[in-house]
Amino acid sequence: PEVSLDSRIDAAGLAESVAIQERQRLGLGDQPVIHLRSTLEWDVGLRIFYSGKLPSGIAGMYAYTADLGCCMLVNRKHPPERRRVSMLHEYGHLIVDRYKPGIDYLTMAGRKPANERFAGAFALGFLMPASSVRQRFHETVTTTGDFQVADLRRLSHFYFVSGEAKALRVGQLGLLPKGSWSSLKGSK
């Protein structure tokens, strides 16, 4: 179902709840979704297309028509981990902006509007459920006494996301300080 955003509601918090509800509705639990595209196409009913002709700065596009339903176009030039985030970002838009087709760019100047904050938080919340990420983070810290760049990379691989997406997610969950990706990138 479509979700309405309201200025009094935290878009990212709502997106987190909707992502959990969607995962529950689809019977996904809190583990990684390996076959994301087929899950979204077969179980949700989305029509997902890839194109290698989009400019590199475009992540994807989305639109809804009564005849075809929810459709999205994902940039094939991007790495598979980026395409997974793009698919779910567009899915998030189709939840809150179903009747307003749009184009998503990799970077956006200025403060992001509520629908963009929702789509971004929905994508990360769906790909990396908070309960699962927290559990794996705490297991690592309990076992090793620390959380290193290699641990972040292992988690990235486990959830099939980029290191940047994983660092952003653990920052959102308060497990690492926000902005950790910048300092981690410099420590390679």
Side-chain angles (χ1 to χ4, degrees):
E2 191 172 14
V3 171
S4 296
L5 291 178
D6 184 293
S7 61
R8 297 169 291 183
I9 297 173
D10 172 40
L14 177 61
E16 187 81 29
S17 297
V18 172
I20 291 168
Q21 290 170 357
E22 275 301 284
R23 288 183 66 94
Q24 287 174 345
R25 184 179 74 81
L26 297 169
L28 298 174
D30 69 351
Q31 296 305 304
V33 180
I34 304 303
H35 304 288
L36 180 64
R37 181 179 181 182
S38 60
T39 298
L40 295 177
E41 288 181 327
W42 288 99
D43 298 338
V44 178
L46 301 179
R47 296 180 186 270
I48 302 171
F49 306 94
Y50 288 110
S51 174
K53 296 181 180 183
L54 294 173
S56 294
I58 294 178
M61 303 176 184
Y62 63 93
Y64 172 85
T65 68
D67 294 338
L68 295 175
C70 298
C71 301
M72 65 179 68
L73 181 67
V74 177
N75 196 334
R76 185 182 295 280
K77 292 178 186 173
H78 295 166
E81 297 88 353
R82 173 70 238 177
R83 291 193 303 252
R84 288 169 60 84
V85 172
S86 295
M87 271 190 269
L88 284 163
H89 186 95
E90 304 309 334
Y91 184 22
H93 275 300
L94 289 165
I95 291 172
V96 293
D97 297 324
R98 185 157 306 153
Y99 302 103
K100 300 175 204 161
I103 299 173
D104 282 303
Y105 298 89
L106 288 178
T107 58
M108 174 183 274
R111 180 167 161 75
K112 291 182 181 179
N115 65 337
E116 284 298 325
R117 292 192 310 273
F118 179 93
F122 176 83
L124 296 183
F126 193 99
L127 277 175
M128 300 170 274
S131 58
S132 177
V133 172
R134 282 190 179 105
Q135 176 187 357
R136 293 194 177 279
F137 181 89
H138 290 301
E139 284 172 0
T140 301
V141 172
T142 301
T143 303
T144 65
D146 199 2
F147 192 80
Q148 302 287 327
V149 174
D151 300 317
L152 184 71
R153 289 291 180 193
R154 260 190 303 284
L155 280 179
S156 300
H157 181 73
F158 180 74
Y159 290 99
F160 199 56
V161 296
S162 68
E164 182 175 8
K166 179 46 75 181
L168 180 59
R169 183 65 173 149
V170 294
Q172 283 177 341
L173 297 174
L175 301 171
L176 289 177
K178 289 192 180 202
S180 292
W181 177 246
S182 298
S183 60
L184 290 173
K185 259 189 357 186
S187 69
K188 285 184 182 177

